Structure formats: C-alpha cells, structure tokens
Amino acid sequence: MFLRNYAVSKALDSLLGFARTQGQRLSKYGSLFLTIVVCIVALGLGIFAVGDLQVVDLQAQQMYAVSVLGLRHIGELQYEAQETRRSTLYALTTNDSNRQLEYADQSRAADRHVTEGIAEYLKQAGIPQEIAMGHNLEADWADYLKIRDEVLASILEGSAKEAVDLDLKGGVPSFDRVRQDLDSIKRLYDERAAQQLALVDTSSRRSIYRLITVLTLTISFACISIWLVQRSRLAAALQLARLQMDFVASISHELRTPLSVIRSAAENICDGIVDNAEQLTGYGSMIRNQTRQVTDLVNQILLFAATRQRKQAYALTSVPFSQVLDSVTENISELLRDGGFVLEQHIDPDLPELLADPAALTQCLQNLVVNAIKYSGSSKWIGIFASHSTSENKVLIRVQDRGIGIAHSELKRIFEPFYRSPAVSAAQIHGTGLGLALARNIAQAMAGDILVQSELQSGSIFTIQIPVSPESQLRVRAKGFTTKASSTSK
Amino acid sequence: MGRVTNVVLILIAAGLSLWSFNSGAVGGVSLPEHAGSSDQNLAIVVNLANSVSDLSKVELRTIFLGQRSYWPNGRRITIVMLEVGHPERKALLQEVCQMTEKDYNNRILHGLFTGELFVSPKTLASPTGVRKFVFNVPGAIGYVRRSDLDDTVKVLRIEGKLPDDPEYPLHVDLRGVK
C-alpha cells in the first residue's frame, strides 16, 4: 500500500511538473511571438501615422510660407504704395523747398520698396496667373511713378495748381489701377490660403482618423494577444487536468487487475478451496506473476519520474549486445510463452560493443519489446535485429512487429509521456503511456535515440541507436587494418 | 651816412614787399590749401533729362536774372539758389550776374512785380538740396562746387569748358571762409 501510494504520488508530481513546464513553455513562446507581432504592427502603424502627421505639418508650413507670408508681403506693398502717394501729396502742404525735398525723398524711398517688392513677387511667382498679375502691377506702378515724378516736379517748381491737376488727371487713375492690382493679388493669395487651409483641414482630419485606427488596432492586437496567451495557459491547465485523470484511471486499472487476481487467489487459499499441492503451486505462481507485474509497473513509474527530474545517473560501460538481449529475453520469456509469440533474433557477427548502461539499455529494449507484444495483434511475431552503422558509428537495434501499426498523424506524438492513441484506447489495450517516452528518455540519456517507422495494419519498426564503445572502435579499426594488410600481402 | 641808411631801409622794405606778394600773404589773410584748384570751380547743373549741355556766360546771366524763362524743349526754367552767405552764391552773383546781393534781390523783386519772372528762385540750404532739387525738377538749373558733384545731375559746359578744364571761367572765392 505504501509502495503504491509512493509510486502514484511521485508519478503525479512528475506529471504535474511536466505539464506545467509544457504549459509555461507554450505560453512563454506564444506570448513572446505575439508581443513581437504586436510591436511590429504597432511600429509599422506608428511610422505610418507619424509620416501622415509630417505631411500635415508640411502642408501647414507651406500654407504659412505661401499664403500667410504672401499676404503679409502684399500688405507691406499696399502700405508702401500709399506712403509713396502720401509723401508726394504732403509736399503740397508747404512752400519751403527744403521740406518739399524731404517729402520727395520719403516718396522715392517708399517707391523703391514697392519696386523691390514687385520684383520679389515676380521672382517667387509660380503659376501663370501670378506672373501675369505681377507684370500688370509692374507696368501700372511704372505708369504711376512717371506721373508722380511730374507731380513732384510741379510741386518743387512751386506750381501747386499744376501739380494737383496732374495728380487728378493721371495720378489718381493710375494709382487706382495699382491698388486694384494689389487687391487682385491679395484675393489670389486669399483663395490659395483658403484652399491650403481646406487641404490642411482634410489632412488633419484624415490623420486623426488614422491615428484613432492605429490606436484601436494596437489595443485590439494587444487584447487579442493577451487573450491568446490566457487561452494557451488555460488549455495547458485543461490538458494537465485531463492527463492527470487519464493517468489516474490508467494506473488504477493497471493496479486493480493484478490486485484482484491476488486477492481472489488468497481468498481461495484461505477458504480451503485449494486442497492439494498442485493447486497451491498454481495459485502461488499466479500470485508471484501478478506481484511481479505490479512491481514492474511501479518501477516503470518511478523510473520515468527519475528521468523527468534528471535524477537518474547512468554508468556507461562497454557492453556486448548479446548480454542485453539475454536479459530481455529472460525477463519476457514467460510473457512470450504465455502469449504464444515467436521471437526472431539476428545479431551481426561483427557487432561491436555498445557504450551504455546495461540495466538501462535492458529496460529500454524491454519496453520496446513489450510494446511490440502489446500491439502485434494476431501475427504473434516479433523480431529483434542488431547491426552496425559504420557511417554513424552506432549500433542499430531494431524491434519489429507485424501488428496494427501506427497512423502517420500519430507518429510524432507517441513518444509524448502519457499519450495514448484514441484507437488504442478504443481497442481496450491497456497501458500507462509511459513505455515509449521512458525508452526514448533512456536512449537519449546515453547519447542515443529511438526512431520509428510504421504502416497501419503492416506493423512497426522501432530502432534504438546507441554509440559504439571506444574500445570496440579501436578493435574494429585494428581488425580492418589487419585485413587490409593481409589482402595487400597476398 | 644818412643817405646810405635810407637806401638800406628802402631795400629792406622792397625785399619784404616782394616776399609778401610772392607768398600771397596780402592783408594778413591766408588762402585755403586748395584755393585755385579745379575743386573750387563753380559747376552749373541741370536735370539729367535736359538736352542743353553748353551755355555762354551771357546766356547764363540771362537765365539767372530771369530774362529767359524756358528751355529750348519748352520746359519752364526753375532757378535754384543757395541761401545767402554761401560762397557759391556769392561767386555766381559776382561772376555771372555781376551784381551784389542787394542788386540781385531788387532785380528779382522787380521781375516778379512786372511779371517778367513767373516764380521766384528756389532757395535751398545746402549743395545736397540743390542736387536733389535739380534731380527732381526737369527744368531746374542750379550751381554747386565741383567737389559737390555726383551723377544725379548733369554738368553744363560754360564757354565750352567743363569745371575740370584749367580755363574754366567760374570759380568760388573761398577767401574769408572759415
């Protein structure tokens, strides 16, 4: 009882640790992958949004440079043009020639600013409409300046009446034309500013929508990734729970059957049903076999727990395969005999020794053979073949059956601990799902591996690969050298 | 002995007089360093648009006395004078109008009263003002020293000579000018 409790608790601990590790690994990789995806998506969308904002900013700058500065420039031109005319007319208010000259200077300084401003406008004019307007303004301004010069001359000469006549006849209309030209240019700037403003407005609105979309997508991706991680963890927890249930059910069944047999045998003996020595021997043999079966099961579980927790240390030595094979055949001889199985064996004569732990390799091979017995179906034939792969420098031990075989979709899962094929479960073939996992763990711990080939209804071949021992390698080389030397001498 | 002394004194006095004459130290007033150079010539200037380029002293006198009112292109002549006290004004009155300040003022008043002159001459405070006025008024005529000239005005030949020529007839007398 104590043994059973101990074995089950160890196995459960191992199972929990494994499932927890698997679940965490899945979650960790999944969450890392999802985080990277979310980051990349967010980065891409962020770059897109930033680019969009830069476009809006550029448009706003263009609007300011072209429209706002342009309007200010036109405003300055309007002021300076007015100043030109105002200064000219101020000269009429005095008879002092020196003051009149000062006004004339002011007028000329203002007109120089206007002329330079028009030239600058023409230089920056980009569209034909602007260029045409600029040339009109230039011509009208030149006309006005001619009249302004005449008016100034008349004022300086002292002919105020003549100056006023000249200004009324020529100055006023020509200055009106200049004013209209400037107003037209201003209107053009206003229109362009309105267009630019509309463009900036549209772009800003679009950028805001895109930004909202980016944020929404990023948050959605983050939520989805969190949900996926949580779901992955939940799935791992559910898988663990299911495995626990399956394992407990399987172990219970595996233990209950032999224990029932033992109890029945013991009751029969106690009740005096067994009345002769021959029957007693039969019951004793039955109890012994069932006890061995339970012990094997418990040992299997304990060994798996030890390999999972990496507590099992193997002493690798040079082992002849025949020794391992003898142990296995001895251990399973009763099973073979009772089941009526035929065991075919073939070992290469030159098979080198293996570098392995004899007991562990025996356990490994025995697991495969028991597995073959379990699933060999009606063929009742099992083959064990050992050969040397010189290319890989390994000994290949093949365990073959002609049983029910394994579907291709199952092949990658059969070495998972506690895994049992649904078809096998449905066929009421009992097992813990630890045999193959334990065999592969043992092989890998000895620098080897187990490969599988299978066809449904044709059978399976499990191949154990174990390294050749160094001493054996040297012997093989020496032998090869001797053979080569003798053939050369011949 | 007395006669010898008188002869010596006369010779000394004659030598001093000759030295004084050669050095120009007449009446205790010294001329400025550039006196007599072409910079002190009095340039007659008109607007750049004016087609006239040569005048005689007589024509110049008729213009400045208001006896001639129009240029050949029909433009009315506007006389520009510097304020009283400028050596250029004094030189023009002496060398062109051959009048004193008082006579010139009387002449102008007479011309305005009789209608011979349409407008009185414009009086400006500085040679720069004269230049600016001539630049602004197509029919203006004025005068500045040669050293005050620039390319905003046109310089007339007087008697076929420009102010740079050695035999230019109009000079500004700077004696007594501080």
Side-chain angles (χ1 to χ4, degrees):
Chain A
M1 195 66 175
F2 169 76
L3 187 67
R4 190 183 71 180
N5 286 342
Y6 177 72
V8 170
S9 71
K10 289 293 285 180
L12 276 173
D13 284 348
S14 172
L15 174 69
L16 283 167
F18 169 76
R20 198 177 291 123
T21 310
Q22 288 295 96
Q24 282 172 356
R25 188 180 299 159
L26 275 172
S27 301
K28 193 170 74 179
Y29 291 153
S31 59
L32 182 66
F33 175 73
L34 284 170
T35 306
I36 291 169
V37 168
V38 168
C39 285
I40 290 169
V41 170
L43 187 69
L45 293 173
I47 289 169
F48 178 72
V50 168
D52 214 38
L53 288 173
Q54 279 180 335
V55 169
V56 175
D57 188 45
L58 199 65
Q59 284 174 346
Q61 283 177 16
Q62 277 178 347
M63 186 189 79
Y64 180 78
V66 174
S67 304
V68 178
L69 290 180
L71 281 170
R72 201 179 79 181
H73 186 63
I74 292 300
E76 286 171 359
L77 280 184
Q78 284 178 323
Y79 175 80
E80 293 292 349
Q82 290 286 358
E83 184 64 17
T84 304
R85 181 166 170 72
R86 194 161 40 239
S87 301
T88 306
L89 296 180
Y90 280 172
L92 275 170
T93 61
T94 179
N95 287 325
D96 182 354
S97 297
N98 294 300
R99 294 294 304 279
Q100 287 174 340
L101 277 177
E102 283 175 17
Y103 288 129
D105 281 350
Q106 286 175 13
S107 178
R108 288 192 182 282
D111 95 50
R112 268 198 302 278
H113 290 151
V114 177
T115 307
E116 286 167 7
I118 293 170
E120 185 65 24
Y121 173 77
L122 273 171
K123 198 171 145 187
Q124 291 180 356
I127 56 175
Q129 195 181 2
E130 278 183 331
I131 295 168
M133 282 180 166
H135 284 307
N136 271 345
L137 176 62
E138 192 178 32
D140 289 338
W141 183 245
D143 288 345
Y144 169 72
L145 287 184
K146 278 180 196 164
I147 296 163
R148 191 280 313 265
D149 288 348
E150 291 293 329
V151 171
L152 265 182
S154 298
I155 292 168
L156 289 169
E157 282 171 350
S159 308
K161 184 179 176 301
E162 192 180 314
V164 170
D165 286 346
L166 271 171
D167 190 61
L168 288 174
K169 282 179 188 168
V172 171
S174 64
F175 192 77
D176 277 346
R177 283 198 296 277
V178 169
R179 202 158 45 198
Q180 285 165 9
D181 291 343
L182 286 169
D183 285 343
S184 301
I185 291 173
K186 195 176 174 184
R187 270 199 302 277
L188 183 65
Y189 272 118
D190 280 339
E191 286 169 12
R192 288 183 65 188
Q195 286 172 358
Q196 295 260 357
L197 191 63
L199 193 65
V200 169
D201 187 47
T202 309
S203 300
S204 301
R205 206 181 296 272
R206 191 183 60 212
S207 291
I208 288 167
Y209 289 148
R210 284 181 179 173
L211 206 59
I212 289 168
T213 309
V214 165
L215 285 172
T216 309
L217 284 174
T218 307
I219 291 167
S220 302
F221 272 116
C223 289
I224 289 168
S225 64
I226 290 166
W227 177 74
L228 284 174
V229 168
Q230 291 300 327
R231 200 184 68 163
S232 170
R233 286 182 177 168
L234 184 65
L238 287 172
Q239 189 184 10
L240 173 66
R242 199 183 66 240
L243 286 173
Q244 284 174 336
M245 294 300 294
D246 290 351
F247 179 74
V248 169
S250 175
I251 288 295
S252 302
H253 183 81
E254 292 294 319
L255 289 173
R256 193 172 55 193
T257 307
L259 286 174
S260 298
V261 172
I262 292 167
R263 191 181 65 187
S264 299
E267 283 173 357
N268 287 345
I269 293 169
C270 290
D271 293 345
I273 296 173
V274 179
D275 53 359
N276 56 48
E278 190 181 346
Q279 278 185 325
L280 191 62
T281 306
Y283 274 91
S285 175
M286 188 188 297
I287 290 169
R288 187 186 62 199
N289 287 342
Q290 294 302 320
T291 309
R292 186 184 296 162
Q293 196 174 333
V294 171
T295 308
D296 286 348
L297 179 62
V298 171
N299 285 340
Q300 191 98 312
I301 292 167
L302 287 173
L303 188 59
F304 175 74
T307 56
R308 289 302 309 169
Q309 291 170 359
R310 302 188 188 284
K311 286 180 180 172
Q312 189 71 15
Y314 296 114
L316 302 181
T317 55
S318 189
V319 188
F321 178 66
S322 56
Q323 180 189 325
V324 175
L325 186 59
D326 288 346
S327 297
V328 171
T329 49
E330 187 184 339
N331 291 344
I332 62 167
S333 59
E334 197 173 331
L335 196 61
L336 291 170
R337 191 179 59 245
D338 291 350
F341 284 91
V342 175
L343 178 66
E344 185 181 335
Q345 303 174 28
H346 177 76
I347 302 172
D348 276 359
D350 297 330
L351 190 72
E353 291 180 355
L354 303 91
L355 183 64
D357 183 309
L361 185 57
T362 303
Q363 180 69 52
C364 176
L365 181 60
Q366 189 174 312
N367 278 11
L368 294 183
V369 174
V370 170
N371 193 63
I373 290 169
K374 213 181 276 182
Y375 302 110
S376 65
S378 57
S379 71
K380 304 284 184 183
W381 177 89
I382 293 161
I384 299 175
F385 307 101
S387 59
H388 178 216
S389 167
T390 50
S391 59
E392 296 177 54
N393 200 27
K394 284 181 177 172
V395 171
L396 308 180
I397 306 159
R398 288 188 293 130
V399 178
Q400 190 172 353
D401 68 70
R402 293 169 183 165
I404 58 174
I406 307 163
H408 282 286
S409 58
E410 302 277 336
L411 284 177
K412 59 186 176 185
R413 298 200 64 190
I414 57 171
F415 290 106
E416 287 179 14
F418 311 108
Y419 178 76
R420 305 207 69 228
S421 165
V424 167
S425 299
Q428 295 285 312
I429 300 173
H430 301 299
T432 59
L434 291 175
L436 289 178
L438 183 59
R440 177 175 263 187
N441 281 351
I442 292 169
Q444 288 177 342
M446 294 188 296
D449 204 353
I450 297 179
L451 305 177
V452 61
Q453 295 169 279
S454 187
E455 286 290 331
L456 273 176
Q457 307 306 326
S458 297
S460 307
I461 302 173
F462 287 85
T463 306
I464 306 172
Q465 298 177 332
I466 298 294
V468 173
S469 74
E471 296 88 346
S472 197
Q473 281 180 41
L474 287 173
R475 276 200 294 276
V476 168
R477 280 179 197 160
K479 188 178 175 185
F481 178 74
T482 311
T483 310
K484 196 175 174 183
S486 61
S487 63
T488 309
S489 62
K490 283 177 186 176
Chain B
M1 184 64 187
R3 288 179 67 184
V4 172
T5 304
N6 287 339
V7 169
V8 169
L9 287 172
I10 288 165
L11 286 173
I12 290 169
L16 285 171
S17 301
L18 189 62
W19 175 79
S20 301
F21 181 78
N22 285 338
S23 63
V26 178
V29 178
S30 61
L31 289 172
E33 280 184 24
H34 297 293
S37 71
S38 64
D39 279 351
Q40 307 311 325
N41 288 345
L42 190 68
I44 306 300
V45 292
V46 293
N47 189 277
L48 290 170
N50 200 326
S51 57
V52 174
S53 57
D54 198 344
L55 289 174
S56 66
K57 276 181 81 173
V58 176
E59 286 173 315
L60 204 55
R61 186 169 187 273
T62 56
I63 288 171
F64 274 97
L65 290 180
Q67 293 167 349
R68 178 177 164 183
S69 300
Y70 293 94
W71 294 105
N73 62 4
R75 271 271 177 192
R76 192 169 55 237
I77 295 174
T78 305
I79 300 161
V80 187
M81 297 290 284
L82 281 165
E83 286 177 349
V84 176
H86 279 271
E88 292 92 334
R89 179 180 174 110
K90 192 176 175 184
L92 184 101
L93 292 179
Q94 283 179 355
E95 297 197 20
V96 177
C97 302
Q98 295 164 350
M99 286 180 176
T100 62
E101 189 68 51
K102 189 179 174 184
D103 290 342
Y104 183 73
N105 286 337
N106 287 338
R107 168 69 195 150
I108 295 300
L109 283 172
H110 179 74
L112 288 170
F113 184 74
T114 58
E116 195 178 350
L117 271 173
F118 295 114
V119 289
S120 61
K122 300 295 173 186
T123 305
L124 296 168
S126 67
T128 308
V130 172
R131 279 202 317 268
K132 284 183 180 175
F133 192 98
V134 171
F135 171 75
N136 278 295
V137 181
I141 181 168
Y143 52 85
V144 290
R145 252 184 271 179
R146 188 218 168 266
S147 56
D148 291 326
L149 284 173
D150 65 13
D151 57 0
T152 60
V153 292
K154 179 179 179 180
V155 183
L156 293 183
R157 287 175 180 273
I158 306 298
E159 303 292 353
K161 305 290 183 190
L162 283 172
D164 288 337
D165 294 336
E167 294 174 3
Y168 186 73
L170 304 177
H171 309 284
V172 180
D173 185 0
L174 294 176
R175 280 177 296 184
V177 177
K178 292 181 181 177

